[in-house]
Amino acid sequence: MRPFDYVKPADVAAAVRAVATAPGAKFIGGGTNLVDLMREGIETPDTVVDLGGLPLDGVEELPDGGLRIGALVRNSALAADQRVRGRYPMLSQAILSGASAQLRNMATVGGNLLQRTRCPYFYDQAAACNKRAPGSGCDALDGFNRGHAVLGVSEQCIATHPSDMCVALAALDAVVEVESVRGTRRIPVADLHRLPGATPDVEFELAADQLITAVELPPVPVAANSRYRKVRDRASYAFALVSVAAALEVRDGAVTAARLALGGVAAKPWRAREAERLLVGGPASEESFGRAADAELAAATVRPGNAFKVALARATIVATLRDLTHGGSTA
Amino acid sequence: MTTKHAEVEQRAPYVGRAVDRLDGPAKVTGAARYAAEHPYPNLAHAALVHATVARGRITAVDTAAALAVRGVIEVLTHENAPAMKPAPALSMLNPSTMASGTSVNYLATDEVHWNGQPVAVVVAETPEAARYAASLVRLTYQESPAEVDFAAAEPNAVPQKNNPLQSAGADKGDANAALAAAPVRVDLRFTTPPHSHNAIEPHATTAVWDGDDLTVHEGTQNIAWVRQHLAQRFDVPARRVRVLSPYVGGAFGGKTMIWAGTLLAVLAARATGRPVRLVLTREGVFHTVGGRTPSTQRVALGADADGRLTALIHTSVARTGRVGGGPEQITSASRHLYAAPNIHLRQNLVQLDLVANTVMRAPGESIGTFALESAMDELAWELGLDPIELRMRNEPANNPVDGKRFAHRMLREAYALGAERFGWKERDPRPGAMRDGRWLVGMGVATAYHPAWQLPAKVGVRLTADGTVVVRSSLHEMGMGAATAQAQIAADTLGVPMEAVRVEYGDSDLPPGPGAGGSGQTASAAAALLAASHKLKRSVFALARHAPDSPLRGRRLDRLEARDGGLYEGSAGETYAAILTRAGRDHLEAEAGPGMLGFAAKMLRDRRNWVKAASGAQFCEVRVDQDTGEVRVSRWVGVFDVGTVINTKTVAAQLRGGIVMGLGLALSEETLVDRRTGRVVNASLAENHVPVHADVPRIDVDWLGDPDPTMPLGLLGVGEVSITGVGAAVANAVRHATGRRILDLPITLDKLL
Amino acid sequence: MTEIRMRVNGVVHSLDVEPWVSLLDALRERLGLTGPKKGCDQGACGACTVLADGVRINACLALAVQYADKEITTIEGLAQGGELHPVQQAFIRHDGFQCGYCTSGQICSAVAMLAEHAAGMPSVVSGSAARAELTDAEIRERMSGNLCRCGAYNGILDAIREVATP
């Protein structure tokens, strides 16, 4: 870990000022990702700005029936919130599917949004990685890529975004509020993470001086019947091979509303809009679910190691929608 | 500290009971101190720099940036490090020559032999400074072509050579002809990946020089080897080296050999004149310490229509490093399990430019039984026969390859008991016929098999005038309950309560214990403990038999019973304390244990006469998700023939532990080596998937409890047998659930989609 | 250097730490509390689990400076008045460990897990259910952040089950 200065501002204004004047500064929330990356020498901030003193840890009702979640709300607190469990069960389940209880107790909502990839070549300083060292190449393309992305990939990078929470947030049309000395901005979660393209090192639609202060959830009635299904290599404490956040409303055998997003398949939480479009108005049948999944996955670009993810994603989408059709939003 | 509930089970005789671990209170309170947890004044911290090429030479070293980090004391590379002596040549007469993990003379050469080889050491005032500075050491390499791809090299494997302890093959009859003529046959090719021990304690060394006296705190499975190896490499007499290892935070074979971290901590301490602690990073463990070899295996079985084997062929390819490592007994179980008239076994090897492989829990048998027992299951499908019945029809009377006698053979009993406990008769034999909602349910069995080993060991027993017994031997406690078992044995054989027994272990100043390997530590130490206890009783009796006022006067030792803290014949007798006090002795001590040559001669004689092994029957129930192919193990029953069981509590734990590691082998564990660079890619506990709580069901273990007539106290060893057969039992259950035969470990869901 | 105050196992310490010192290293190297273990230093094993204001965290991924003025409890602080904590006793009785290296983390984690459950924290097993019964599957999922390579999981489960349902 490179030596760094540590500051702990008392309010949001001081926090954004602290980074505005220090280009090498980095915010720290729970630290579960940043401390690891700093220890590995992948993140090398000059200054670490500790957000631990800021009053951003509440969950509030919005007038429209949505929720406003402070950026420093711990993952475990958000998952336990009765309003989240009642109105957005997929979000609670997504958070609870991630990491471990200890890490969820530390990790913040804002930090979770800004997690960096778990690609092992990104982590290994000896490997070529365009995300860590632009222009150095990508060892994952012809290396071990079983865990890697199949949607929205480029020849420069096939890393995935590791968050579970973000998959649910993308499905729920959540909006991120960011603050900087330049003012306040609102960014849909679906637009927060970038696909790699030619610049996989640029991961977020966010400037270095911008602080995520809150996430807002709009009211999503269909989300009351929703779930998050995570498929991985062991029963717990592992990153997703594929995950599905889905919400479904079925009336008289027809789908009247649907939300669908995928994790583990792209550099961002993948909102499956094409599938949603095909689902709504169609029958709530396995065939229809399968067609929707196929349409979403048609653009997949696979490697020998991760080709199975297309079939796995299809199977997981169909299974999750089938479960939602048969009622009950519990896992 | 006190514990609330008195353990009612803890009373004599202690052997065969459930006894709480003696080190339990230290471990549950955090008081137990491991190798990296010994404070020393002026302690410095070291960190390794690992090579980033697979093979080549270091052409330039730039340590300026590292040296500029505040708190850095020294950066040692091959350009400035003091020399160590090279690792010794292998000698059968001195087992400690096998101790070196690799043959590399670290920091005495510019050569790089594998990607990740330690090539520099930074010593600093704090661990943070050492690690940061290590990341700033710049090395330039001239790369040479390297061979690192096992799959590519495997066709060029050469036959392994025989040695007195390991047989590289066997031939009986004409297996190829018999296979060709067999009416029913299977011929399958299996692969198993590299595995890593992943002990939760990373390798750590604290090294302190005082002149030519060296003290080393080290988590090791072989204290004697560490002592002798360090003495040899640093050119000091072994008696000047003290190795302390009372707690080892998991090992599983990974702390058997001496690896670079140990040597370089000692070297750094010598070079800087400071006590030095070196803890490998988790990634560093993967780069510094070898793991289990990958394998490709062929198992071909021929049978008649009744399921009697006519041919058994089992061949394997494994890899060693070009600078170290050794073969594994991959085909070992095929020598012993089935009564085939025609057998062909052959183990082959390739050498690659990778970190040397090393022993890992049941080396050979753990992966060899996956192939053999999967093939037997497939043969049962071909025959339409129950897989247990197929095994029973081929149960041999004598060792199949050479006709030697089995010292112990209770597989029939193990299967019978296991089938009953598991409910095997509830199994619908049709594939995919059993369901539970979205889950396909499958049941599988496999045989577990592991040879029984005895190792040379010395044990001292001291009796003090207050009635206390101290058992002294440099035993290794990695979680097996080694000290607790010896205390139970000592309490019984000397007739004292367990509370009166203390065990001193984990210290090279004690009589040299056995290495903790081959599942042989408890039996090996028990043999010496029993002999020493007998000597001790003779000495005690000698003090009493002529004493005019002793009730033992004039009696014969062979008529006396050791009980109630003394020696008695009927109601006549007296306590050890009384005898020692009368004689004016504050203590008596005896030590026993064979010499190396006598031990080797006896072992070879023994191996000519007997085939000794622990064995068992593994029963597995899996659930396979119909959509995603996720496999969950939902039930397990393992019944084992391990001879005498000393401590039912710790033996159950060890048997379960082997099964848990086997579940990882079956379903999730694979250390990924990049075929282009030879670098371990998933060098972390996040990506190297060992089983977590949620992966592990209730594991029902039982044992037959029949002592082996040829082993000390009847012990066959419990550390390794239970990992064997697990991979196959899972694969066979998956075959039953899905109809799919998975030949390549681990059985990840993509193979079942 | 930053000077921080931290209450550890009931004792207030004043520490001068560089910001790059983790909470785990501060406890182990500065305060001599080596009960919390360093298994991976990456948040992937749980051996370093301690309680911060009663909440279980991985001390390896925490900077010590972030935890200034917090109340930290390590395995060394669980026993009270010479009597082992019920979870510690149950671990001995049910043989919830072998090598002992993950044990401090398992025990601290179990103590906090029981409190979390009592406070209504859900898990992915119970999903969005209002109140989860502490089944074996629940305990396993909630303890999955603590690896045990010796495979003492059955004993750990039995120990926790006994304390959870006296």
Side-chain angles (χ1 to χ4, degrees):
Chain A
M1 200 180 295
R2 202 173 74 158
F4 56 90
D5 291 329
Y6 171 82
V7 295
K8 189 169 182 180
D11 54 41
V12 171
V16 298
R17 269 203 313 278
V19 295
T21 53
K26 203 93 190 163
F27 295 118
I28 191 167
T32 55
N33 195 206
L34 183 62
V35 171
D36 187 29
L37 291 170
M38 286 166 65
R39 200 174 272 136
E40 295 291 334
I42 297 164
E43 295 275 11
T44 54
D46 300 318
T47 303
V48 167
V49 180
D50 184 355
L51 304 176
L54 308 188
L56 301 175
D57 56 354
V59 180
E60 297 158 33
E61 291 280 355
L62 291 172
D64 62 2
L67 289 177
R68 180 183 168 85
I69 303 156
L72 295 178
V73 172
R74 303 288 165 175
N75 283 188
S76 49
L78 185 59
D81 190 287
Q82 293 294 354
R83 293 161 294 185
V84 173
R85 288 157 75 180
R87 294 179 216 169
Y88 313 98
M90 65 156 76
L91 176 58
S92 175
Q93 292 167 18
I95 293 168
L96 295 169
S97 302
S100 67
Q102 290 94 315
L103 292 166
R104 296 191 294 268
N105 283 338
M106 303 171 78
T108 62
V109 166
N112 191 323
L113 284 161
L114 301 183
Q115 272 189 87
R116 305 196 67 190
T117 186
R118 294 285 165 165
C119 171
Y121 297 103
F122 172 73
Y123 262 77
D124 184 359
Q125 298 273 8
C129 172
N130 288 323
K131 189 184 279 297
R132 175 173 35 77
S136 63
C138 172
D139 271 350
L141 291 176
D142 296 314
F144 288 107
N145 45 37
R146 185 167 168 275
H148 285 70
V150 295
L151 292 170
V153 298
S154 74
E155 279 303 305
Q156 278 69 45
C157 183
I158 55 172
T160 58
H161 191 259
S163 168
D164 294 296
M165 182 192 80
C166 291
V167 182
L169 289 182
L172 294 169
D173 282 335
V175 174
V176 170
E177 188 176 280
V178 300
E179 199 73 32
S180 72
V181 289
R182 294 168 288 135
T184 306
R185 215 184 120 202
R186 291 168 62 82
I187 309 168
V189 166
D191 299 338
L192 179 68
H193 306 85
R194 293 169 54 116
L195 290 175
T199 55
D201 54 311
V202 185
E203 295 172 329
F204 307 104
E205 292 290 346
L206 202 65
D209 68 341
Q210 288 178 320
L211 169 68
I212 295 178
T213 52
V215 176
E216 290 193 358
L217 290 174
V220 185
V222 66
N225 182 40
S226 70
R227 64 181 304 172
Y228 186 76
R229 173 84 186 274
K230 181 176 184 179
V231 182
R232 44 186 158 177
D233 276 328
R234 58 185 178 192
S236 189
Y237 206 10
F239 293 97
L241 291 168
V242 162
S243 68
V244 171
L248 199 68
E249 185 183 74
V250 178
R251 292 210 178 123
D252 302 327
V255 174
T256 48
R259 293 292 178 93
L260 191 66
L262 306 177
V265 295
K268 60 185 295 178
W270 191 266
R271 179 70 180 270
R273 294 194 189 276
E274 176 65 11
E276 286 178 9
R277 194 180 62 77
L278 289 171
L279 284 170
V280 176
S285 67
E286 296 230 358
E287 295 69 35
S288 172
F289 299 157
R291 274 196 302 276
D294 288 339
E296 190 66 43
L297 296 163
T301 305
V302 301
R303 304 256 154 198
N306 66 7
F308 75 97
K309 281 194 172 186
V310 175
L312 180 62
R314 184 189 198 278
T316 311
I317 290 169
V318 171
T320 308
L321 293 174
R322 183 208 302 138
D323 289 350
L324 287 170
T325 305
H326 298 305
S329 61
T330 56
Chain B
M1 296 282 175
T2 58
T3 53
K4 227 188 278 176
H5 301 257
E7 282 294 328
V8 289
E9 297 117 316
Q10 295 188 7
R11 55 189 159 75
Y14 297 98
V15 168
R17 292 188 181 280
V19 175
D20 287 349
R21 291 166 194 272
L22 297 181
D23 57 6
K27 285 178 173 173
V28 302
T29 57
R33 288 200 178 243
Y34 295 77
E37 297 170 352
H38 297 272
Y40 277 92
N42 215 22
L43 181 70
H45 300 264
L48 297 180
V49 179
H50 300 273
T52 54
V53 299
R55 195 172 183 204
R57 285 183 184 280
I58 302 167
T59 54
V61 175
D62 179 0
T63 59
L67 285 165
V69 172
R70 197 150 54 99
V72 168
I73 298 162
E74 181 66 282
V75 179
L76 294 169
T77 71
H78 69 280
E79 293 184 343
N80 65 344
M84 288 183 288
K85 295 213 151 188
L90 280 179
S91 159
M92 277 295 152
L93 292 175
N94 179 4
S96 82
T97 56
M98 294 190 284
S100 199
T102 79
S103 58
V104 175
N105 200 7
Y106 301 99
L107 305 200
T109 170
D110 60 357
E111 280 185 272
V112 174
H113 301 278
W114 76 87
N115 198 327
Q117 176 186 320
V119 286
V121 186
V122 177
V123 187
E125 300 292 345
T126 66
E128 293 85 3
R131 184 160 178 193
Y132 174 53
S135 75
L136 300 179
V137 173
R138 292 283 164 262
L139 297 160
T140 311
Y141 304 92
Q142 180 175 8
E143 288 191 60
S144 322
E147 212 179 350
V148 298
D149 184 350
F150 179 66
E154 181 258 318
N156 305 321
V158 298
Q160 175 189 330
K161 294 190 180 71
N162 283 313
N163 75 37
L165 296 181
Q166 290 197 337
S167 179
D171 278 289
K172 185 173 87 167
D174 186 341
N176 284 317
L179 180 70
V184 184
R185 56 180 173 259
V186 297
D187 193 344
L188 300 170
R189 186 179 186 278
F190 300 88
T191 67
T192 66
H195 294 136
S196 299
H197 309 85
N198 287 326
I200 304 297
E201 179 198 31
H203 296 62
T205 307
T206 306
V208 188
W209 285 97
D210 178 5
D212 271 352
D213 288 312
L214 171 65
T215 302
V216 174
H217 300 270
E218 167 93 0
T220 176
Q221 296 175 246
N222 205 315
I223 289 167
W225 282 9
V226 174
R227 172 188 238 183
Q228 289 168 46
H229 190 74
L230 291 178
Q232 186 267 326
R233 300 297 292 269
F234 291 91
D235 203 18
V236 295
R239 68 187 150 77
R240 317 273 314 245
V241 179
R242 187 171 186 200
V243 179
L244 293 160
S245 190
Y247 297 105
V248 184
F252 317 111
K255 294 168 183 169
T256 298
M257 308 296 171
I258 288 98
W259 301 95
T262 309
L263 294 166
L264 295 178
V266 177
L267 185 75
R270 176 165 264 191
T272 59
R274 300 272 296 265
V276 168
R277 175 187 302 160
L278 196 162
V279 183
L280 297 189
T281 63
R282 179 51 61 179
E283 181 188 359
V285 176
F286 288 92
H287 291 324
T288 310
V289 178
R292 193 194 299 284
T293 176
S295 75
T296 60
Q297 300 179 55
R298 176 190 175 214
V299 179
L301 304 170
D304 65 21
D306 290 335
R308 283 181 182 79
L309 287 182
T310 55
L312 191 172
I313 295 171
H314 189 175
T315 63
S316 66
V317 180
R319 71 153 151 81
T320 62
R322 216 178 296 283
V323 290
E328 293 195 359
Q329 290 288 65
I330 294 174
T331 65
S332 147
S334 294
R335 305 172 67 83
H336 308 300
L337 285 184
Y338 299 112
N342 300 287
I343 297 177
H344 170 69
L345 311 176
R346 173 59 53 198
Q347 297 175 172
N348 303 284
L349 292 173
V350 293
Q351 279 194 342
L352 296 183
D353 299 299
L354 297 170
V355 65
N357 72 310
T358 192
V359 293
M360 181 171 162
R361 204 170 200 164
E365 288 86 7
S366 55
I367 52 178
T369 52
F370 164 66
L372 174 65
E373 290 297 283
S374 291
M376 281 298 282
D377 192 74
E378 199 53 34
L379 181 65
W381 285 104
E382 286 292 324
L383 289 158
L385 201 59
D386 179 273
I388 298 177
E389 177 57 26
L390 173 65
R391 286 170 173 82
M392 295 305 104
R393 287 189 191 177
N394 289 286
E395 180 61 13
N398 292 98
N399 194 45
V401 289
D402 52 21
K404 283 183 198 170
R405 284 176 293 169
F406 293 122
H408 218 236
R409 185 79 173 190
M410 300 186 74
L411 273 170
R412 287 183 189 281
E413 292 84 349
Y415 269 106
L417 182 56
E420 186 187 320
R421 291 183 79 122
F422 186 76
W424 182 254
K425 65 176 192 298
E426 312 298 321
R427 175 183 186 258
D428 183 331
R430 296 167 301 158
M434 303 179 73
R435 297 192 72 127
D436 177 12
R438 68 181 162 111
W439 300 100
L440 302 164
V441 178
M443 297 181 181
V445 294
T447 299
Y449 187 92
H450 189 267
W453 290 94
Q454 197 184 337
L455 309 163
K458 292 196 191 306
V459 174
V461 185
R462 179 187 292 159
L463 187 60
T464 58
D466 64 0
T468 305
V469 170
V470 185
V471 177
R472 305 176 72 244
S473 180
S474 61
L475 301 170
H476 309 84
E477 178 51 88
M478 305 116 64
M480 318 84 100
T484 312
Q486 299 302 325
Q488 290 174 258
I489 297 167
D492 279 358
T493 190
L494 291 169
V496 299
M498 262 197 79
E499 302 80 69
V501 182
R502 197 153 51 78
V503 184
E504 293 180 354
Y505 58 98
D507 181 345
S508 61
D509 278 0
L510 296 166
S519 300
Q521 177 167 262
T522 296
S524 308
L529 171 60
L530 292 174
S533 299
H534 188 68
K535 273 167 84 172
L536 188 64
K537 280 189 269 191
R538 262 205 324 255
S539 306
V540 177
F541 181 61
L543 294 179
R545 62 193 288 202
H546 300 303
D549 55 344
S550 171
L552 297 172
R553 181 184 161 86
R555 296 182 192 271
R556 284 174 46 177
L557 180 59
D558 57 11
R559 298 220 176 129
L560 301 184
E561 187 189 356
R563 61 170 163 85
D564 301 327
L567 297 173
Y568 294 88
E569 183 171 0
S571 60
E574 59 182 338
T575 63
Y576 301 125
I579 298 170
L580 265 62
T581 304
R582 181 192 308 107
R585 305 286 289 266
D586 61 1
H587 76 276
L588 276 181
E589 188 154 2
E591 186 179 309
M596 189 58 213
L597 281 177
F599 179 84
K602 181 179 178 303
M603 182 177 74
L604 292 175
R605 197 168 60 238
D606 227 29
R607 286 169 66 88
R608 271 201 301 276
N609 291 331
W610 299 105
V611 171
K612 307 181 185 196
S615 61
Q618 308 267 25
F619 289 76
C620 167
E621 180 187 275
V622 297
R623 282 168 156 66
V624 182
D625 188 291
Q626 62 179 14
D627 302 304
T628 61
E630 293 160 285
V631 179
R632 300 280 184 265
V633 174
S634 46
R635 278 197 310 134
W636 199 278
V637 172
V639 176
F640 299 95
D641 170 24
V642 290
T644 304
V645 166
I646 305 284
N647 186 343
T648 57
K649 194 172 253 191
T650 54
V651 163
Q654 240 187 314
L655 291 173
R656 288 197 184 100
I659 291 165
V660 171
M661 195 175 278
L663 296 181
L665 171 149
L667 294 174
S668 59
E669 289 183 38
E670 175 172 16
T671 297
L672 304 170
V673 179
D674 194 297
R675 63 185 163 73
R676 301 161 298 183
T677 61
R679 202 161 168 87
V680 175
V681 174
N682 57 344
S684 77
L685 291 176
E687 303 293 335
N688 209 286
H689 289 132
V690 307
V692 301
H693 272 281
D695 292 305
V696 178
R698 175 70 48 197
I699 296 173
D700 177 18
V701 292
D702 203 354
W703 43 83
L704 300 171
D706 189 53
D708 181 275
T710 67
M711 289 291 287
L713 265 181
L715 299 163
L716 287 167
V718 296
E720 294 167 283
V721 63
S722 69
I723 191 177
T724 70
V726 174
V730 174
N732 298 343
V734 167
R735 170 74 168 83
H736 179 226
T738 65
R740 306 274 295 274
R741 169 62 59 191
I742 304 302
L743 302 167
D744 305 297
L745 291 181
I747 306 171
T748 47
L749 59 89
D750 44 307
K751 294 168 187 166
L752 291 167
L753 270 177
Chain C
M1 289 284 190
T2 307
E3 192 184 335
I4 58 170
R5 279 160 49 88
M6 194 181 281
R7 199 177 163 89
V8 182
N9 299 332
V11 179
V12 176
H13 296 270
S14 206
L15 281 174
D16 262 336
V17 290
E18 287 162 317
W20 68 1
V21 174
S22 70
L23 176 60
L24 179 61
D25 285 326
L27 294 169
R28 286 171 61 85
E29 305 297 334
R30 310 295 167 97
L31 299 180
L33 294 169
T34 54
K37 302 300 183 201
K38 188 181 284 188
C40 68
D41 223 16
Q42 294 180 309
C45 77
C48 64
T49 302
V50 300
L51 312 183
D53 292 341
V55 173
R56 53 177 164 165
I57 62 165
N58 290 340
C60 74
L61 291 185
L63 300 175
V65 288
Q66 290 178 281
Y67 287 78
D69 303 318
K70 302 266 191 210
E71 166 97 42
I72 305 295
T73 306
T74 70
I75 186 74
E76 290 94 337
L78 287 182
Q80 293 295 326
E83 175 137 329
L84 296 181
H85 187 283
V87 175
Q88 290 174 311
Q89 294 183 30
F91 264 62
I92 294 178
R93 209 156 39 242
H94 293 282
D95 215 30
F97 56 92
Q98 290 185 34
C99 81
Y101 201 79
C102 75
T103 311
S104 304
Q106 298 276 0
I107 291 173
C108 286
S109 192
V111 168
M113 183 276 284
L114 292 169
E116 286 170 9
H117 177 257
M121 175 65 67
S123 88
V124 75
V125 169
S126 46
S128 313
R131 179 110 196 123
E133 194 193 331
L134 203 57
T135 61
D136 286 357
E138 280 286 348
I139 294 175
R140 289 187 184 116
E141 164 58 26
R142 288 164 191 260
M143 289 297 294
S144 279
N146 292 85
L147 305 187
C148 171
R149 186 56 160 164
C150 297
Y153 292 129
N154 277 199
I156 295 168
L157 177 71
D158 291 344
I160 294 171
R161 152 105 16 259
E162 180 183 282
V163 177
T165 50

